[in-house]
Every structure is written in C-alpha cells, then in structure tokens.
Amino acid sequence: MKNVWLYLIAGLVFGGLSVCRSEDSKLNVTYAGKVSALKLPATALGQDWTGPTGLVVDDFQQALSKQPVEVKSEIEKLRKLFQPIGIVSVADFTYRKKSKPLSQITLRVFLFKNDAVCKSWWEKKYRYEGWEKHYTVVKGVPYDAVASTQITKRAVAFGNVWMTCGALDKTEDHIKLLELYINKIKNVVNQKRPAH
C-alpha cells in the first residue's frame, strides 16, 4: 500500500511539473510585420498545388483609396467587423490542387493590436459554454489550438496572431499548411530580435 502512495505522489508531482513546463514553453511570438509578407508559394505544399489566392489587408487604417475598386466595399465590411475586436490586419491564403481542383485549403491570418486582445478573443471564441461540442483541444503543440468536431478545420493562437485553416475534404494538408505559416512567423520574428 505504501508503494502505491509513493507512485501516486510521484505521478502528481511529475505530472504537475510537466504541465508547468508546457506552459513555460508556449510559443510567445508577437508579429509586427505585414500579413502580405507571410505569403508562402504553393510549392511549399508540394508540386501539385496552386495559389495562393485571396484578399489581403495589411492595415485597416490604410486609406481605402489605395485599394483596387473591386474590393473596396469588401474591405470596408471587414474593417467594420474586425476593428472593434482589435484586429488590425487580415489575410486569406487559398491553395488548390492541380490534379483535384475541389481539393482546397484556406488559411486565414488575423493580427491583433496586441497579445492581450488576441488572448481575450480566443477565450470568447473558443471557450464559451458548450464549446466542447464543437471543438477539441489539440495537445502536444506549443500554442493554443483547437480542431473542429464538424469540419476539417483547425484554429491556433499565439502572441498577437490568430489563424484558422480548413480544407474542403478530409485531409491533414491543412495542418501542414498551418505549421508552415507558424514556422515562417517564428523565423521572421527571430531574425528581427537583437543578438545577445
């Protein structure tokens, strides 16, 4: 019986340490660049991919006069929707397979004015009462992540960045694309940090 208690206590202590360690190793990256600079070529996914296409708004404060006429009204709608919740820029990067055009992945990047606003939005968006019916927590990643229980879609957040990525069919390609963009953001931020 004494050994059982020792194993139980050891499990609680080491289990607690691993929880603390994973919190300490959370990705804490604030991206201050333009969302347009994040765009990855289709070949990053493989030779069978095309794109990306989609609307990119680097700064909602930017004068609409600099935008193409055909998208001005859409940008204004997005600005009215996103600025009140603290989003300063958005990008939609959509990729398609050449061999199967209905095989499509859409990654959306949302940059918030700061980390705290992003974290607050994440809590509202993915921690409402009953959220477990719609999302499952993705474990083993160094950032906040949930997967949809209804469609092929994952959402992630770290620092001031919130990204969603979904696919029209059952695939893991959307996760690969998310990881590619997360790595690009980390690399850009790390390059700009002063050397010690």
Side-chain angles (χ1 to χ4, degrees), residues 22 25-26 138-145 154 156 179:
S22 69
S25 65
K26 282 273 189 195
V138 177
K139 297 183 191 274
V141 292
Y143 42 79
D144 292 318
R154 182 175 284 191
V156 303
E179 290 297 326

PDB file of all heavy atoms in Angstrom, residues 22 25-26 138-145 154 156 179:
ATOM      1  N   SER A  22       5.111  22.747 -19.942  1.00  0.00           N
ATOM      2  CA  SER A  22       4.461  23.004 -21.228  1.00  0.00           C
ATOM      3  C   SER A  22       3.936  24.432 -21.287  1.00  0.00           C
ATOM      4  O   SER A  22       3.950  25.050 -22.330  1.00  0.00           O
ATOM      5  CB  SER A  22       3.338  21.997 -21.476  1.00  0.00           C
ATOM      6  OG  SER A  22       2.264  22.223 -20.591  1.00  0.00           O
ATOM      7  N   SER A  25       6.847  26.667 -22.068  1.00  0.00           N
ATOM      8  CA  SER A  25       7.362  26.544 -23.427  1.00  0.00           C
ATOM      9  C   SER A  25       6.351  26.974 -24.487  1.00  0.00           C
ATOM     10  O   SER A  25       6.550  26.734 -25.660  1.00  0.00           O
ATOM     11  CB  SER A  25       7.806  25.102 -23.681  1.00  0.00           C
ATOM     12  OG  SER A  25       6.684  24.239 -23.642  1.00  0.00           O
ATOM     13  N   LYS A  26       5.274  27.624 -24.063  1.00  0.00           N
ATOM     14  CA  LYS A  26       4.291  28.119 -25.025  1.00  0.00           C
ATOM     15  C   LYS A  26       4.948  29.121 -25.973  1.00  0.00           C
ATOM     16  O   LYS A  26       5.783  29.931 -25.557  1.00  0.00           O
ATOM     17  CB  LYS A  26       3.124  28.815 -24.312  1.00  0.00           C
ATOM     18  CG  LYS A  26       2.130  27.878 -23.696  1.00  0.00           C
ATOM     19  CD  LYS A  26       1.094  27.496 -24.687  1.00  0.00           C
ATOM     20  CE  LYS A  26      -0.027  26.736 -24.016  1.00  0.00           C
ATOM     21  NZ  LYS A  26      -0.855  26.055 -24.940  1.00  0.00           N
ATOM     22  N   VAL A 138      -6.259  20.620 -29.145  1.00  0.00           N
ATOM     23  CA  VAL A 138      -5.139  19.918 -29.770  1.00  0.00           C
ATOM     24  C   VAL A 138      -4.000  19.897 -28.760  1.00  0.00           C
ATOM     25  O   VAL A 138      -3.546  20.947 -28.300  1.00  0.00           O
ATOM     26  CB  VAL A 138      -4.687  20.619 -31.067  1.00  0.00           C
ATOM     27  CG1 VAL A 138      -3.482  19.911 -31.665  1.00  0.00           C
ATOM     28  CG2 VAL A 138      -5.839  20.693 -32.061  1.00  0.00           C
ATOM     29  N   LYS A 139      -3.567  18.707 -28.402  1.00  0.00           N
ATOM     30  CA  LYS A 139      -2.495  18.565 -27.409  1.00  0.00           C
ATOM     31  C   LYS A 139      -1.147  18.374 -28.093  1.00  0.00           C
ATOM     32  O   LYS A 139      -1.079  18.005 -29.251  1.00  0.00           O
ATOM     33  CB  LYS A 139      -2.794  17.380 -26.498  1.00  0.00           C
ATOM     34  CG  LYS A 139      -4.075  17.558 -25.696  1.00  0.00           C
ATOM     35  CD  LYS A 139      -4.309  16.396 -24.754  1.00  0.00           C
ATOM     36  CE  LYS A 139      -5.687  16.444 -24.176  1.00  0.00           C
ATOM     37  NZ  LYS A 139      -5.876  17.219 -23.026  1.00  0.00           N
ATOM     38  N   GLY A 140      -0.087  18.676 -27.353  1.00  0.00           N
ATOM     39  CA  GLY A 140       1.262  18.430 -27.853  1.00  0.00           C
ATOM     40  C   GLY A 140       1.813  19.504 -28.763  1.00  0.00           C
ATOM     41  O   GLY A 140       2.804  19.280 -29.451  1.00  0.00           O
ATOM     42  N   VAL A 141       1.176  20.685 -28.788  1.00  0.00           N
ATOM     43  CA  VAL A 141       1.689  21.796 -29.590  1.00  0.00           C
ATOM     44  C   VAL A 141       1.976  22.972 -28.649  1.00  0.00           C
ATOM     45  O   VAL A 141       1.306  23.126 -27.630  1.00  0.00           O
ATOM     46  CB  VAL A 141       0.696  22.216 -30.705  1.00  0.00           C
ATOM     47  CG1 VAL A 141       0.574  21.127 -31.760  1.00  0.00           C
ATOM     48  CG2 VAL A 141      -0.677  22.555 -30.134  1.00  0.00           C
ATOM     49  N   PRO A 142       2.960  23.815 -28.987  1.00  0.00           N
ATOM     50  CA  PRO A 142       3.350  24.896 -28.073  1.00  0.00           C
ATOM     51  C   PRO A 142       2.538  26.184 -28.232  1.00  0.00           C
ATOM     52  O   PRO A 142       3.049  27.283 -28.034  1.00  0.00           O
ATOM     53  CB  PRO A 142       4.821  25.117 -28.430  1.00  0.00           C
ATOM     54  CG  PRO A 142       4.877  24.793 -29.874  1.00  0.00           C
ATOM     55  CD  PRO A 142       3.888  23.676 -30.093  1.00  0.00           C
ATOM     56  N   TYR A 143       1.296  26.071 -28.606  1.00  0.00           N
ATOM     57  CA  TYR A 143       0.416  27.229 -28.764  1.00  0.00           C
ATOM     58  C   TYR A 143      -1.008  26.749 -28.508  1.00  0.00           C
ATOM     59  O   TYR A 143      -1.272  25.549 -28.429  1.00  0.00           O
ATOM     60  CB  TYR A 143       0.550  27.841 -30.162  1.00  0.00           C
ATOM     61  CG  TYR A 143       0.623  26.815 -31.272  1.00  0.00           C
ATOM     62  CD1 TYR A 143      -0.524  26.174 -31.749  1.00  0.00           C
ATOM     63  CD2 TYR A 143       1.848  26.460 -31.829  1.00  0.00           C
ATOM     64  CE1 TYR A 143      -0.447  25.211 -32.741  1.00  0.00           C
ATOM     65  CE2 TYR A 143       1.929  25.500 -32.829  1.00  0.00           C
ATOM     66  CZ  TYR A 143       0.777  24.885 -33.281  1.00  0.00           C
ATOM     67  OH  TYR A 143       0.846  23.938 -34.254  1.00  0.00           O
ATOM     68  N   ASP A 144      -1.940  27.681 -28.361  1.00  0.00           N
ATOM     69  CA  ASP A 144      -3.341  27.310 -28.200  1.00  0.00           C
ATOM     70  C   ASP A 144      -3.860  26.797 -29.538  1.00  0.00           C
ATOM     71  O   ASP A 144      -3.641  27.425 -30.580  1.00  0.00           O
ATOM     72  CB  ASP A 144      -4.169  28.518 -27.762  1.00  0.00           C
ATOM     73  CG  ASP A 144      -3.831  28.969 -26.345  1.00  0.00           C
ATOM     74  OD1 ASP A 144      -3.659  28.093 -25.481  1.00  0.00           O
ATOM     75  OD2 ASP A 144      -3.734  30.191 -26.107  1.00  0.00           O
ATOM     76  N   ALA A 145      -4.541  25.666 -29.521  1.00  0.00           N
ATOM     77  CA  ALA A 145      -5.068  25.091 -30.765  1.00  0.00           C
ATOM     78  C   ALA A 145      -6.304  24.264 -30.482  1.00  0.00           C
ATOM     79  O   ALA A 145      -6.368  23.551 -29.485  1.00  0.00           O
ATOM     80  CB  ALA A 145      -4.009  24.225 -31.449  1.00  0.00           C
ATOM     81  N   ARG A 154      -8.807  23.690 -38.243  1.00  0.00           N
ATOM     82  CA  ARG A 154      -8.071  23.894 -37.000  1.00  0.00           C
ATOM     83  C   ARG A 154      -7.848  25.393 -36.813  1.00  0.00           C
ATOM     84  O   ARG A 154      -7.653  26.121 -37.777  1.00  0.00           O
ATOM     85  CB  ARG A 154      -6.731  23.165 -37.047  1.00  0.00           C
ATOM     86  CG  ARG A 154      -5.923  23.308 -35.756  1.00  0.00           C
ATOM     87  CD  ARG A 154      -4.655  22.484 -35.778  1.00  0.00           C
ATOM     88  NE  ARG A 154      -4.965  21.075 -35.568  1.00  0.00           N
ATOM     89  CZ  ARG A 154      -4.050  20.147 -35.320  1.00  0.00           C
ATOM     90  NH1 ARG A 154      -2.767  20.471 -35.252  1.00  0.00           N
ATOM     91  NH2 ARG A 154      -4.409  18.886 -35.142  1.00  0.00           N
ATOM     92  N   VAL A 156      -5.534  28.212 -34.363  1.00  0.00           N
ATOM     93  CA  VAL A 156      -4.411  28.347 -33.449  1.00  0.00           C
ATOM     94  C   VAL A 156      -4.248  29.806 -33.058  1.00  0.00           C
ATOM     95  O   VAL A 156      -4.659  30.707 -33.794  1.00  0.00           O
ATOM     96  CB  VAL A 156      -3.080  27.825 -34.063  1.00  0.00           C
ATOM     97  CG1 VAL A 156      -3.208  26.387 -34.501  1.00  0.00           C
ATOM     98  CG2 VAL A 156      -2.615  28.693 -35.207  1.00  0.00           C
ATOM     99  N   GLU A 179       1.397  24.688 -39.979  1.00  0.00           N
ATOM    100  CA  GLU A 179       2.763  24.577 -39.451  1.00  0.00           C
ATOM    101  C   GLU A 179       3.755  25.374 -40.293  1.00  0.00           C
ATOM    102  O   GLU A 179       4.671  25.997 -39.752  1.00  0.00           O
ATOM    103  CB  GLU A 179       3.187  23.104 -39.368  1.00  0.00           C
ATOM    104  CG  GLU A 179       2.473  22.317 -38.293  1.00  0.00           C
ATOM    105  CD  GLU A 179       2.754  22.824 -36.878  1.00  0.00           C
ATOM    106  OE1 GLU A 179       3.890  23.295 -36.606  1.00  0.00           O
ATOM    107  OE2 GLU A 179       1.854  22.757 -36.031  1.00  0.00           O
TER     108      GLU A 179
END
